[in-house]
């Protein structure tokens, strides 16, 4: 689990960088509203993260059913997008906190909450462990048990 969390963290950290870079680029070089710029940045980061999770973090997981995997990934990513940008929306339009620093702080807080949700949902529903691993673990535990003597009919005389 620690290794999985570390790999998730590496991809996630790079995704955070991509998210903030695109957000600040959009915010300062276009006339888009803050939350719209954030949604675009989040979508770019979601695409980046899918590639990182599929081919780095969870490369050893079940690869059958890619359409289902991608559908679930996008579904849970959209929920994360709503969490992330909901925090920014509340800060910007609910409290009027819309300076560049405040927007980045609330985007970061929203990303943190969304990351907790995404880790749980991706691990539980999207990038599922291969059933064969469980079978191998079960077989190995069976082999580690006491060895029973061979039946009398099969003993060498």
């Amino acid at each position: 689990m620690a290794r999985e969390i570390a790999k998730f963290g590496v991809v996630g950290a790079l995704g955070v960088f991509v998210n903030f870079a695109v957000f600040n680029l959009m915010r300062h070089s276009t006339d888009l509203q803050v939350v719209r710029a954030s949604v675009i940045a989040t979508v770019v980061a979601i695409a980046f993260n899918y590639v990182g999770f599929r081919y780095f973090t969870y490369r050893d997981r079940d690869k059958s059913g890619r359409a289902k995997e991608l559908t679930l990934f996008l579904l849970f990513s959209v929920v994360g997008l709503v969490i992330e940008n909901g925090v920014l929306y509340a800060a910007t339009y609910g409290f009027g906190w819309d300076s560049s620093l405040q927007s980045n702080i609330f985007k970061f807080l929203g990303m943190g909450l969304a990351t907790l949700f995404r880790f749980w949902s991706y691990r539980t529903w999207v990038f599922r462990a291969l059933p064969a691993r469980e079978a191998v673990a079960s077989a190995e535990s069976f082999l580690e048990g006491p060895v029973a003597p061979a039946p009398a009919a099969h003993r060498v005389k």
Side-chain angles (χ1 to χ4, degrees):
M1 177 77 113
R3 186 176 173 169
E4 180 180 342
I5 291 171
K7 286 180 166 185
F8 188 91
V10 167
V11 172
L14 292 171
V16 166
F17 175 77
V18 167
N19 199 328
F20 273 110
V22 173
F23 172 64
N24 284 293
L25 180 68
M26 299 296 292
R27 170 121 193 213
H28 298 295
S29 66
T30 69
D31 292 331
L32 286 175
Q33 295 173 345
V34 173
V35 176
R36 287 185 184 167
S38 181
V39 168
I40 291 169
T42 303
V43 168
V44 171
I46 287 169
F48 175 87
N49 286 348
Y50 178 77
V51 172
F53 291 141
R54 167 43 51 215
Y55 297 103
F56 177 67
T57 305
Y58 298 113
R59 71 175 175 247
D60 61 334
R61 298 290 175 100
D62 188 5
K63 291 179 181 80
S64 64
R66 284 281 172 98
K68 180 180 177 186
E69 173 187 283
L70 186 56
T71 301
L72 288 172
F73 181 85
L74 291 175
L75 173 72
F76 292 122
S77 293
V78 167
V79 173
L81 180 144
V82 170
I83 293 168
E84 176 181 330
N85 292 292
V87 170
L88 181 61
Y89 181 90
T92 302
Y93 300 109
F95 296 102
W97 297 328
D98 64 350
S99 73
S100 184
L101 177 62
Q102 290 168 328
S103 293
N104 279 287
I105 288 171
F106 287 102
K107 181 161 181 61
F108 184 77
L109 290 174
M111 288 170 74
L113 292 173
T115 297
L116 294 174
F117 170 77
R118 287 176 180 134
F119 178 76
W120 170 79
S121 63
Y122 295 166
R123 182 177 201 281
T124 304
W125 300 103
V126 181
F127 301 107
R128 300 184 64 136
L130 286 169
R133 283 191 178 223
E134 296 167 6
V136 169
S138 175
E140 287 175 346
S141 68
F142 174 77
L143 293 174
E144 291 172 359
V147 178
H154 295 296
R155 288 190 190 145
V156 179
K157 296 184 181 181

